[in-house]
Amino acid sequence: MASIWVLTQPTDTSKQEAILADVITGVRGSKTSVYAIRSDTRDLIPLVEWSTSFDKRDPLPAGFYISFLQSLDEAQRKNADQNRLIMAKWVIEQQEWQWLVQDIEDLAPREF
């Protein structure tokens, strides 16, 4: 069975990492962040953190952490034989935050 990974996006991008979705046991969110709770360490992992340094981006929409759960559920249902990555992204064309689900084989490492 293929794996689902989640890209963490802390404000300090040097600490970005990909974690297996299987280790996420909880999610909480606000207008400025979405955090996951790891089952193995009980650490809070930032899935996305909004900062005033993103001056042209809006804060996260209400319920963005629920949107993550919906994206994760969809990825799990469609997860046949492709490894997938879920990440929060500011979509310039639509001027909004979205959770994107992509096949890992289609990712360009230089984008990260």
Side-chain angles (χ1 to χ4, degrees):
M1 184 170 146
S3 298
I4 299 172
W5 295 84
V6 181
L7 185 67
T8 67
Q9 298 192 46
T11 51
D12 179 356
T13 56
S14 68
K15 297 183 179 186
Q16 189 177 51
E17 63 182 319
I19 62 170
L20 276 170
D22 293 347
V23 302
I24 296 174
T25 58
V27 179
R28 71 179 190 189
S30 68
K31 292 283 263 177
T32 59
S33 62
V34 174
Y35 287 96
I37 302 167
R38 289 185 65 127
S39 62
D40 52 351
T41 63
R42 302 301 295 160
D43 290 339
L44 284 176
I45 305 298
L47 302 183
V48 63
E49 291 179 316
W50 179 84
S51 168
T52 54
S53 65
F54 301 138
D55 55 301
K56 297 197 185 236
R57 301 177 187 183
D58 294 335
L60 303 175
F64 197 56
Y65 68 105
I66 298 297
S67 296
F68 167 73
L69 294 175
Q70 292 169 333
S71 296
L72 179 58
D73 179 60
E74 180 181 341
Q76 288 171 332
R77 282 187 278 117
K78 293 181 179 178
N79 189 26
D81 57 351
Q82 296 288 327
N83 291 318
R84 297 181 189 246
L85 179 74
I86 300 174
M87 68 181 127
K89 187 157 179 112
W90 175 256
V91 180
I92 294 171
E93 299 83 24
Q94 298 173 358
Q95 292 293 296
E96 68 180 11
W97 286 97
Q98 293 180 3
W99 291 104
L100 301 181
V101 180
Q102 295 181 289
D103 292 339
I104 288 180
E105 67 182 31
D106 295 336
L107 297 174
R110 291 184 195 106
E111 294 178 13
F112 299 92

